[in-house]
Amino acid sequence: MTFTIEFQPRGLRIDSAQPINGLDAARQAGINLSAVCGGEGICGKCVIQLLTSAEEITPSEIEQKYLSPEKLGQGYRLACQTTLISDVKIYIPAESIIEDQVLQIEGGDSSHTIHTAVRQSELKLKRAHLKDLTSDFSRIKAVLKDEDLTVGLEVLRGVPALLRENDWRVNLWTRGKDIFHASAIRNVHTVGLAVDVGSTKIACYLMDLTNGSTLTAKGTPNPQIAYGEDIMARLGYAMQGSTQAETLCHLTIAAINQTTAKMCERLNISHDDIADVCLVGNTAMHHFFLNLPTGSLAVSPFVPVTTDPIYPSARELGITAMSGAAVYTPPVIAGFIGSDHLAFLLAARFGEDQRVRLGIDIGTNTEIALQVGDRIVSVSTASGPAFEGAHIKYGMRAAPGAIEHVQISENGSSEIQVIGSQPPIGICGSGILDAVAQMRMRNILNHRGRMDKTAPGVRLAADGKPEILLSTSKKPITLSQNDIDQILLAKGAIRAGIDILLDHLKVDASDIEEIVIAGAFGSYMLPEHAMGIGMLPTVPLDRVKTIGNAAGTGARMMLVSTLSRARAEELADQIEYLELTVYPDFAMFYARGIQA
Amino acid sequence: MTFTIEFQPRGLRIDSAQPINGLDAARQAGINLSAVCGGEGICGKCVIQLLTSAEEITPSEIEQKYLSPEKLGQGYRLACQTTLISDVKIYIPAESIIEDQVLQIEGGDSSHTIHTAVRQSELKLKRAHLKDLTSDFSRIKAVLKDEDLTVGLEVLRGVPALLRENDWRVNLWTRGKDIFHASAIRNVHTVGLAVDVGSTKIACYLMDLTNGSTLTAKGTPNPQIAYGEDIMARLGYAMQGSTQAETLCHLTIAAINQTTAKMCERLNISHDDIADVCLVGNTAMHHFFLNLPTGSLAVSPFVPVTTDPIYPSARELGITAMSGAAVYTPPVIAGFIGSDHLAFLLAARFGEDQRVRLGIDIGTNTEIALQVGDRIVSVSTASGPAFEGAHIKYGMRAAPGAIEHVQISENGSSEIQVIGSQPPIGICGSGILDAVAQMRMRNILNHRGRMDKTAPGVRLAADGKPEILLSTSKKPITLSQNDIDQILLAKGAIRAGIDILLDHLKVDASDIEEIVIAGAFGSYMLPEHAMGIGMLPTVPLDRVKTIGNAAGTGARMMLVSTLSRARAEELADQIEYLELTVYPDFAMFYARGIQA
């Protein structure tokens, strides 16, 4: 029995014949809910409000952790935890649509921008007889009215039996002029897979290629982590030999396949329905995925094997998809600027106007692009994993139990906000940023980044060095001078990158018309605090935008639209890479950048 | 030590640093000696005359069989049996250059027509450093001055190590815009392989792609024969299942690989030096080779899976060649008119003038093309293997011991000529043709093909039926009424095809300006006898040309020239296929054709 789900305030409706997950339902309606964790129930961002039927849908344990009893009573739920089974009206709070800005830029109604690389057609051919002796393939070309079509041997080998066993009817998939797949006529899902391979996490999206909507999404940790926390460590491992390099390749591909299998199961489709794939990642992830040699990425001058777009066969790479499907991997820019950066700039519409715009994707490597007029210059800076909680004593990723926000009062006491409203077990990047910014504001930290041992709230640790106590509720959580040093090094690297870009393109920080910040940390952090510690230059707050996993958004745009691919390739040609380490006075910029 | 071989009367010279086979030396000089057997020493056609050094080169046993002591004393040898080791001057008798007409048509100096599909370049790149950070592949494109070049993953995976281990020098092979192979700089042979897959025999040629000369050639029996003497039997076998069909595919490929391996050994090169391949064959051989389903070729209306040119990877097909090399398989025309027929018409320059020309390739299936003005119409006729000696009591292929020519005197006694000047052990196609033509001339045979039991030379066999005795020298060799019936059926099928073509294009036999006959049998047979028994319409003898294995010549032309490929593809579009069995009054034409 089919039921209807209505989404407000947009007024979008979808029908479903079977129980459907709330996140998937929103995606099918074309609404991209914020779901940093990929629907795992650990970020609590995909809040929706059930305007009807709320009493029928009991909140899960996870929802009770993230939402107050009052909110639950008002029908608030987490979309990813909710299974919709009958007619329902749902309200989407504005803050739940973190990627909406980007998608609105994409053209509002996304159906206008669907130009998929693959096309599916149902054909009915005339049967061969003695007075019409053209070959099977000539018959196909005649019906498709295109004499220039080509077809691979693999497909050609299957066509004669398909035609003769199915009354001369056949389903064909073409990419450009090439017929790459043939099957018997059946109810065909035309589905695509977009992948963003991060060093830490792999985000996968199944998209409906007929309307460009996201059917489902899922994240998984990048299993390469077992071979090195950061990229340099993994590149070092790969240099030990081709077996090691292939291990990193196979691990990534296996993780993508497993995640895709789970998504297919969720949608009750086969991986054979995946007719196209688009994959982005930093240059090391891109090379590992394609099993390209990474030796030259591991040592100076860090050059990629190629920066061109590559379009290999999915099955030859080991990706489970429709036979004949290809994987589009967009251009990379340089050794440390990958196609994820390109996808981010594509999603943020860089290169489409002449404004002074700064784009920042904060991670272990932070890529920064500055657009001034016709020019876009990008740098990569080794900011380290401090903002992801690494090398910080109580640091952790943004997950339940992490302190995500901190207020320090004049008397040095801290007020904290914890993900999942539970006793804190650590502190994540946005919390660390808050703490350092407030310590600087309260003069607990001087401009050289030294803690004032005498300031209120500061105590001496066992090693005699000062630390500030943030919480004692479950266990003492502190921030030490060493932690602060790590943060200042990280923010210093980012700020040096920004300042060098401004210097290089001869614009002043005050000229910046927009700062676009991508990435999970970028979505949680308070921009005013990022300015407070000098990570970002000070600009009016309304010029700062956060856009979540923009690389994933860009990958999805390229999956469903050859126009987006063409645009990305133009953008890749336009982007100039600037090597920071040979920039004049690099050391001076860096020294100035790390000042608190 | 290098020595010089000079060929007269053409005055061509080649140098060799090592002992070289006479046939190969001629080929390297661009002279295509007649060698129907492919250099196996069993056809005795590649006669040369050593003008110097003859006394140093002792004739082999085989040469003593084919050449009289007088001839041997005059320096006559078989090129395929002769190893040249020092300076020598060689005279090539005109009758040894059977394919010369075609090669002259090719443009005399073949270097004018070399436009190979693959190109090899030696590159020296600039090394990457911190102020020049472009990728390896970008460096390659810059040196080749072509931004549109593409490269496959397989090649790309090898390039970084090749560059860094060889001082940034590399050898690259391109095909169109695609770089398909890379290797370290070394003395590179750029070699191509042309193959003509016949139902009975596979002819392989290794060609120098830098100058278009044939380096060596070799024939091998088609091992599919074990699964059926004729095409229909093999198609029937393949219909038993995919394992059976694959067996036929793998046998052909293994035979090509083995033959190629022997040729490579002869030239001291590796199969990895084979950068391009061109393969022709009848449509069944073409489909078997590509492992395309042949079910539709086995039953009416006999349509191919595709008639388009196909260009798959050699290694994916199982052909041992350079990694990245492709196999060009030219278009086929219809279920029983393959790319061998196209290659024949290409070599014979059909479609390049407006004359009335008839092209005939006699075999188990005989393909016939008639050109009239702008039109070329082709038919295929099941002439059967009688002219190859099959279904004839003493029939055999053209090989030592076969009666190749017969004269019957008025008193019915026969004078015979035997291949290899030895006692006859059987009779081959040209001998059978002679005998039947002379019997008809002497009225031993009436116009309905019945033998006159009372004619001189005719005797009654054990079954009471008449037969004619041709030889008794080793064993009695006879031709029976049944043998004659087989021949008349075969020639009748051919004549019916010719007459229907003339009728269809509304020209008279007397309008025919040229008859071009291809194939081994076509080269041996006497055209006047073919006209005598009515296999060919009667035209002045100087209008008849024989051109040997024209399919092999066409395959070689297409291997070394993309212009020839383009010409062949145009020709394929121009050729109209005519299905004989549905032609009005087909039965009448056939009945008239078999009359003696």
Side-chain angles (χ1 to χ4, degrees):
Chain A
M1 207 203 67
T2 301
F3 59 96
T4 301
I5 304 158
E6 181 182 320
F7 292 95
Q8 293 299 347
R10 297 224 197 147
L12 299 167
R13 289 154 193 267
I14 65 156
D15 289 333
S16 180
Q18 54 204 17
I20 184 167
N21 175 278
L23 201 52
D24 291 342
R27 282 166 174 151
Q28 285 186 26
I31 301 166
N32 281 270
L33 286 180
S34 168
V36 175
C37 70
E40 300 291 316
I42 56 173
C43 76
K45 295 286 171 187
C46 60
V47 176
I48 57 173
Q49 187 182 11
L50 305 174
L51 299 178
T52 61
S53 314
E55 60 288 351
E56 293 164 19
I57 301 175
T58 317
S60 71
E61 223 172 278
I62 289 173
E63 286 170 305
Q64 288 172 15
K65 205 163 67 184
Y66 280 100
L67 298 165
S68 66
E70 193 191 348
K71 287 268 186 188
L72 290 170
Q74 291 164 1
Y76 283 94
R77 296 287 186 278
L78 295 182
C80 73
Q81 299 300 310
T82 305
T83 304
L84 306 170
I85 51 171
S86 58
D87 285 351
V88 62
K89 196 181 281 189
I90 295 173
Y91 181 81
I92 311 276
E95 56 272 26
S96 296
I97 315 181
I98 202 163
E99 292 168 7
D100 206 23
Q101 299 164 323
V102 175
L103 288 171
Q104 281 178 337
I105 298 168
E106 167 75 328
D109 181 354
S110 58
S111 67
H112 292 163
T113 57
I114 303 298
H115 296 270
T116 51
V118 302
R119 240 163 252 263
Q120 182 255 318
S121 351
E122 279 188 28
L123 303 190
K124 171 82 178 97
L125 306 185
K126 280 189 199 150
R127 166 187 318 270
H129 59 88
L130 273 173
K131 299 212 164 164
D132 177 8
L133 290 166
T134 53
S135 71
D136 290 3
F137 182 50
S138 297
R139 257 161 238 283
I140 288 171
K141 289 193 291 182
V143 170
L144 289 173
K145 294 188 174 55
D146 190 345
E147 271 306 305
D148 298 332
L149 285 171
T150 59
V151 62
L153 267 182
E154 206 55 57
V155 177
L156 213 43
R157 286 175 185 145
V159 160
L162 275 174
L163 287 175
R164 286 163 183 80
E165 287 163 13
N166 294 285
D167 193 27
W168 294 77
R169 285 151 50 87
V170 68
N171 246 339
L172 292 180
W173 277 259
T174 50
R175 183 172 50 236
K177 290 287 185 188
D178 189 51
I179 300 173
F180 69 91
H181 189 79
S183 79
I185 300 272
R186 54 184 169 85
N187 273 337
V188 178
H189 307 271
T190 305
V191 174
L193 172 68
V195 185
D196 170 26
V197 183
S199 311
T200 311
K201 189 165 171 176
I202 300 173
C204 299
Y205 308 83
L206 280 184
M207 309 279 293
D208 186 330
L209 293 184
T210 58
N211 63 16
S213 68
T214 307
L215 295 170
T216 186
K218 193 165 167 53
T220 191
N222 187 332
Q224 292 177 353
I225 286 176
Y227 296 88
E229 196 185 4
D230 61 34
I231 291 173
M232 290 313 293
R234 293 181 214 171
L235 289 172
Y237 177 73
M239 279 181 86
Q240 291 174 24
S242 60
T243 314
Q244 283 82 352
E246 274 166 28
T247 298
L248 296 182
C249 171
H250 295 157
L251 278 174
T252 309
I253 286 168
I256 294 170
N257 286 340
Q258 283 157 15
T259 308
T260 304
K262 283 180 196 156
M263 292 194 296
C264 286
E265 208 182 305
R266 218 184 261 172
L267 297 175
N268 197 24
I269 61 172
S270 157
H271 62 72
D272 285 337
D273 294 326
I274 299 173
D276 204 4
V277 184
C278 174
L279 180 140
V280 302
N282 63 53
T283 306
M285 294 305 120
H286 168 272
H287 277 40
F288 282 139
F289 173 74
L290 294 170
N291 202 15
L292 287 172
T294 51
S296 63
L297 292 178
V299 295
S300 179
F302 310 107
V303 294
V305 177
T306 181
T307 50
D308 283 20
I310 300 181
Y311 212 167
S313 150
R315 290 217 173 164
E316 274 173 33
L317 289 172
I319 291 290
T320 50
M322 178 182 281
S323 73
V327 179
Y328 176 71
T329 62
V332 298
I333 309 299
F336 285 98
I337 301 201
S339 50
D340 51 353
H341 180 68
L342 180 67
F344 159 34
L345 297 187
L346 175 76
R349 302 271 160 183
F350 270 61
E352 295 187 23
D353 59 37
Q354 305 267 317
R355 287 184 294 159
V356 178
R357 299 176 77 204
L358 193 62
I360 309 177
D361 191 351
I362 300 166
T364 305
N365 278 281
T366 295
E367 297 93 28
I368 311 168
L370 179 62
Q371 167 182 303
V372 177
D374 283 334
R375 294 183 69 184
I376 301 171
V377 182
S378 290
V379 297
S380 172
T381 173
S383 44
F387 286 120
E388 286 160 16
H391 308 315
I392 303 291
K393 191 171 179 193
Y394 292 101
M396 66 180 287
R397 293 190 204 288
I403 297 173
E404 59 173 343
H405 287 300
V406 177
Q407 285 279 2
I408 299 178
S409 66
E410 267 181 59
N411 66 11
S413 69
S414 302
E415 196 177 309
I416 59 170
Q417 184 183 326
V418 181
I419 298 178
S421 313
Q422 62 182 64
I425 54 174
I427 183 164
C428 69
S430 57
I432 298 171
L433 178 70
D434 286 357
V436 177
Q438 306 250 319
M439 286 166 76
R440 182 75 189 96
M441 200 172 76
R442 300 287 177 216
N443 272 316
I444 300 168
L445 219 54
N446 70 14
H447 76 281
R448 290 182 300 112
R450 298 294 97 194
M451 238 189 259
D452 179 353
K453 292 178 190 176
T454 65
V458 175
R459 66 182 201 183
L460 292 185
D463 62 1
K465 291 187 177 164
E467 62 178 19
I468 187 163
L469 186 67
L470 297 174
S471 168
T472 53
S473 68
K474 191 165 182 177
K475 60 176 183 184
I477 295 177
T478 60
L479 216 50
S480 69
Q481 181 65 55
N482 177 61
D483 293 341
I484 286 164
D485 292 348
Q486 293 293 327
I487 292 297
L488 295 181
L489 287 171
K491 79 97 185 171
I494 295 170
R495 183 57 184 268
I498 295 171
D499 286 347
I500 287 175
L501 279 171
L502 292 168
D503 185 69
H504 183 67
L505 287 180
K506 297 184 176 37
V507 286
D508 193 77
S510 62
D511 298 328
I512 298 172
E513 292 168 84
E514 187 174 69
I515 298 179
V516 186
I517 297 174
F521 166 66
S523 300
Y524 285 97
M525 75 170 200
L526 295 176
E528 55 270 41
H529 287 170
M531 292 179 203
I533 66 164
M535 183 171 97
L536 297 181
T538 303
V539 300
L541 267 182
D542 62 3
R543 295 191 190 168
V544 183
K545 271 187 185 171
T546 58
I547 59 166
N549 180 6
T553 304
R556 282 180 283 165
M557 288 165 69
M558 289 185 274
L559 175 66
V560 301
S561 173
T562 53
L563 302 178
S564 292
R565 294 181 192 186
R567 180 74 202 97
E569 292 175 18
E570 278 171 20
L571 201 52
D573 285 338
Q574 192 183 355
I575 296 169
E576 304 163 46
Y577 171 67
L578 181 67
E579 171 62 31
L580 288 179
T581 58
V582 295
Y583 196 78
D585 297 326
F586 167 68
M588 184 271 289
F589 279 101
Y590 188 60
R592 201 189 289 161
I594 60 177
Q595 288 184 1
Chain B
M1 207 202 65
T2 301
F3 58 96
T4 302
I5 305 157
E6 181 182 322
F7 292 96
Q8 292 299 346
R10 295 224 197 148
L12 298 167
R13 288 155 194 267
I14 65 157
D15 290 332
S16 181
Q18 54 202 19
I20 183 168
N21 175 280
L23 202 52
D24 291 343
R27 280 165 175 152
Q28 285 186 27
I31 301 166
N32 282 271
L33 287 179
S34 168
V36 175
C37 69
E40 301 290 315
I42 55 172
C43 77
K45 294 286 170 187
C46 59
V47 176
I48 57 173
Q49 187 181 10
L50 304 174
L51 299 178
T52 61
S53 315
E55 61 286 352
E56 293 163 19
I57 300 175
T58 317
S60 70
E61 222 172 279
I62 290 172
E63 285 170 306
Q64 288 172 17
K65 206 163 69 184
Y66 280 99
L67 299 165
S68 66
E70 193 190 349
K71 287 269 187 188
L72 289 171
Q74 292 165 3
Y76 284 95
R77 296 287 185 279
L78 294 182
C80 72
Q81 299 299 309
T82 305
T83 303
L84 305 169
I85 51 170
S86 59
D87 286 351
V88 63
K89 195 181 280 188
I90 294 173
Y91 181 80
I92 311 276
E95 56 271 26
S96 295
I97 316 181
I98 203 165
E99 292 168 6
D100 207 21
Q101 299 165 324
V102 175
L103 289 171
Q104 282 177 338
I105 298 169
E106 167 76 328
D109 180 355
S110 58
S111 66
H112 291 163
T113 57
I114 302 298
H115 296 269
T116 52
V118 301
R119 242 163 251 263
Q120 182 255 317
S121 352
E122 278 188 29
L123 303 190
K124 170 83 178 99
L125 305 186
K126 280 189 200 149
R127 170 187 314 272
H129 59 89
L130 274 172
K131 300 212 163 163
D132 178 8
L133 290 166
T134 53
S135 71
D136 290 3
F137 182 50
S138 297
R139 258 162 236 284
I140 287 170
K141 289 193 292 183
V143 169
L144 289 173
K145 293 188 175 56
D146 189 345
E147 272 305 304
D148 298 332
L149 285 171
T150 58
V151 61
L153 266 182
E154 206 56 57
V155 177
L156 213 44
R157 285 175 185 145
V159 159
L162 275 174
L163 287 175
R164 286 163 184 79
E165 287 162 14
N166 294 285
D167 193 27
W168 294 77
R169 285 150 51 86
V170 68
N171 247 338
L172 292 180
W173 277 259
T174 50
R175 183 172 50 234
K177 290 287 185 188
D178 189 51
I179 300 174
F180 70 91
H181 189 78
S183 79
I185 300 272
R186 55 185 169 85
N187 273 336
V188 178
H189 308 271
T190 305
V191 174
L193 172 68
V195 185
D196 169 26
V197 183
S199 310
T200 310
K201 188 165 171 175
I202 300 173
C204 298
Y205 308 83
L206 279 185
M207 309 280 295
D208 185 331
L209 293 184
T210 58
N211 63 15
S213 69
T214 307
L215 296 170
T216 186
K218 192 163 166 56
T220 191
N222 187 333
Q224 292 177 355
I225 286 176
Y227 296 88
E229 195 184 8
D230 60 34
I231 291 174
M232 290 314 292
R234 294 182 213 171
L235 289 172
Y237 177 73
M239 279 181 86
Q240 290 174 23
S242 59
T243 314
Q244 282 82 352
E246 275 166 28
T247 298
L248 296 182
C249 172
H250 295 158
L251 278 174
T252 309
I253 286 168
I256 293 170
N257 286 340
Q258 284 157 14
T259 307
T260 305
K262 284 181 196 157
M263 291 194 296
C264 287
E265 207 183 306
R266 217 184 263 172
L267 296 174
N268 197 25
I269 61 172
S270 157
H271 63 71
D272 285 337
D273 294 326
I274 299 173
D276 204 4
V277 183
C278 174
L279 180 140
V280 302
N282 63 52
T283 305
M285 294 304 119
H286 167 274
H287 277 40
F288 282 138
F289 173 74
L290 294 169
N291 202 13
L292 288 172
T294 50
S296 63
L297 292 178
V299 294
S300 179
F302 310 107
V303 294
V305 177
T306 181
T307 50
D308 282 19
I310 300 181
Y311 212 167
S313 149
R315 289 215 175 166
E316 275 173 34
L317 288 174
I319 290 290
T320 50
M322 178 181 282
S323 73
V327 179
Y328 176 71
T329 63
V332 298
I333 309 299
F336 284 99
I337 300 200
S339 49
D340 51 352
H341 180 68
L342 180 67
F344 159 36
L345 297 188
L346 175 76
R349 304 272 160 182
F350 269 63
E352 296 185 24
D353 59 36
Q354 305 267 317
R355 289 183 294 159
V356 178
R357 300 177 75 204
L358 193 62
I360 308 177
D361 190 352
I362 301 165
T364 305
N365 278 280
T366 295
E367 297 94 28
I368 311 167
L370 179 63
Q371 166 183 304
V372 177
D374 284 332
R375 293 183 70 182
I376 301 171
V377 182
S378 290
V379 298
S380 172
T381 171
S383 44
F387 287 120
E388 286 158 17
H391 308 314
I392 303 292
K393 190 171 181 191
Y394 292 100
M396 66 181 287
R397 293 191 205 285
I403 298 173
E404 59 173 343
H405 287 300
V406 177
Q407 285 278 1
I408 299 178
S409 65
E410 267 183 61
N411 67 11
S413 68
S414 303
E415 195 178 311
I416 58 171
Q417 184 182 329
V418 181
I419 299 178
S421 310
Q422 62 182 68
I425 54 174
I427 183 163
C428 69
S430 56
I432 298 171
L433 179 70
D434 286 357
V436 177
Q438 307 250 317
M439 287 166 74
R440 181 76 188 97
M441 200 173 77
R442 301 287 176 214
N443 273 315
I444 301 169
L445 219 55
N446 70 15
H447 75 280
R448 289 183 299 110
R450 298 294 97 194
M451 237 189 260
D452 180 353
K453 292 178 191 176
T454 66
V458 176
R459 65 181 202 180
L460 291 185
D463 62 357
K465 291 185 177 166
E467 62 180 18
I468 188 164
L469 186 68
L470 297 176
S471 168
T472 53
S473 68
K474 191 165 183 178
K475 59 176 185 183
I477 295 178
T478 60
L479 215 52
S480 69
Q481 180 66 53
N482 178 60
D483 294 340
I484 286 163
D485 291 347
Q486 293 294 328
I487 293 297
L488 295 181
L489 286 171
K491 79 96 185 174
I494 295 170
R495 182 57 184 267
I498 295 170
D499 287 347
I500 287 176
L501 280 170
L502 292 169
D503 185 68
H504 183 66
L505 287 179
K506 297 185 176 39
V507 285
D508 193 75
S510 61
D511 298 328
I512 298 172
E513 292 168 83
E514 186 174 71
I515 299 179
V516 186
I517 297 175
F521 166 66
S523 301
Y524 285 97
M525 76 171 199
L526 293 176
E528 55 270 40
H529 287 170
M531 293 179 202
I533 66 163
M535 184 172 95
L536 298 182
T538 303
V539 300
L541 265 183
D542 62 4
R543 296 191 189 169
V544 183
K545 274 188 184 170
T546 59
I547 59 167
N549 181 4
T553 304
R556 283 180 283 166
M557 288 166 69
M558 289 185 273
L559 176 67
V560 301
S561 173
T562 53
L563 303 179
S564 291
R565 293 180 192 186
R567 181 74 203 97
E569 292 174 18
E570 278 171 20
L571 201 51
D573 285 339
Q574 191 183 355
I575 296 168
E576 304 162 47
Y577 171 68
L578 181 67
E579 171 62 33
L580 288 179
T581 58
V582 295
Y583 196 80
D585 297 327
F586 166 70
M588 183 272 289
F589 279 99
Y590 189 62
R592 201 189 289 160
I594 59 176
Q595 288 185 2

